[in-house]
Amino acid sequence: MASYDDDDAEGAVRRRTIRRLKLLYAWQAVGPSSWGRFASLFYDSVGLSPSQIGIITGTMPLVRALAMPVWGTFADRWSTKKRVALVTQFVGASILLLLTLPERRHFDFVWLVSVVSACFASAGVLDAFTLEVLGADEKARFGEIRLWSAVSWGASNLAMGYVADTFGFRINIAIFFACAVVSTAILALVVPEHSTVRSAGEEPPPGKETSGVVEE
């Protein structure tokens, strides 16, 4: 039977993990709010026609819909959810940063950058990884974590609208990249690789302590 000290330690690990995931999801929402809602305005600001903007914005959801199952399958098959989330998030944001190049504002280049960036969409992988980290005992709190993302997204949209009006749309792309870097750092350095707390009856991983709390 676990001691009270073990229970306290387990509770501390659970609370710390939940806080870290809330921070991650809050930051994850800031980036998309700085770009996704304002992408069409950016395309218009660089001189693209309405039909060209329609082609880009119509292609992106299709590309994401095709890309996300591929990344999800890859992450499940090789058990690399965290690594896939890290790589796709950083690479996708880095590619989008190419849109800040002033000499590359013609339609073909903007369309290509937007589509290639969308190929690295993997939001479902992050959600699956989060549920894995929460474990069976805490997965019910996933909605609570997603709430932080929703609140952050709403507040950030208001802020980013002001930023775009004041400084232009190019700064939004830079903010999107900066937020992706911060989110990647949080995911890589702060969020544990696996669930830090075992469910009842779960065997401890090899080499880990057996007090009821799995080391990070």
Side-chain angles (χ1 to χ4, degrees):
M1 181 179 295
S3 67
Y4 288 114
D5 288 341
D6 291 338
D7 291 340
D8 290 343
E10 181 176 326
V13 171
R14 290 175 186 267
R15 290 189 294 273
R16 183 166 65 246
T17 300
I18 295 293
R19 287 196 299 268
R20 291 173 176 181
L21 289 170
K22 287 177 179 178
L23 176 63
L24 172 63
Y25 271 77
W27 265 108
Q28 285 276 36
V30 177
S33 70
S34 66
W35 169 245
R37 300 284 293 180
F38 303 100
S40 296
L41 297 178
F42 171 80
Y43 299 145
D44 179 71
S45 72
V46 299
L48 300 187
S49 67
S51 60
Q52 290 173 331
I53 295 173
I55 291 172
I56 295 175
T57 56
T59 304
M60 300 276 280
L62 176 62
V63 173
R64 293 192 187 101
L66 295 174
M68 285 193 285
V70 173
W71 290 118
T73 301
F74 181 87
D76 287 338
R77 184 175 179 82
W78 282 278
S79 299
T80 56
K81 293 183 180 67
K82 183 174 182 177
R83 293 180 180 86
V84 168
L86 284 169
V87 171
T88 54
Q89 177 174 277
F90 184 77
V91 173
S94 299
I95 292 172
L96 198 65
L97 198 61
L98 294 172
L99 292 179
T100 60
L101 298 175
E103 67 276 10
R104 298 286 188 175
R105 295 298 178 83
H106 52 84
F107 168 72
D108 292 341
F109 181 78
V110 174
W111 177 84
L112 180 62
V113 169
S114 300
V115 168
V116 174
S117 177
C119 288
F120 290 88
S122 63
V125 174
L126 178 61
D127 289 341
F129 170 72
T130 299
L131 289 169
E132 186 177 279
V133 170
L134 289 172
D137 291 344
E138 294 288 351
K139 66 166 53 177
R141 301 190 67 179
F142 181 65
E144 176 185 334
I145 293 169
R146 290 287 298 179
L147 178 62
W148 279 71
S149 176
V151 172
S152 174
W153 185 84
S156 298
N157 268 289
L158 295 175
M160 294 306 165
Y162 173 80
V163 170
D165 287 341
T166 305
F167 302 102
F169 296 106
R170 189 186 302 183
I171 191 66
N172 285 50
I173 301 176
I175 293 173
F176 176 79
F177 176 75
C179 290
V181 171
V182 173
S183 296
T184 301
I186 294 173
L187 180 57
L189 304 175
V190 178
V191 178
E193 184 76 24
H194 302 289
S195 177
T196 54
V197 180
R198 296 197 310 274
S199 301
E202 183 180 348
E203 291 296 325
K208 298 298 183 180
E209 62 184 64
T210 58
S211 65
V213 180
V214 178
E215 294 175 353
E216 295 179 29

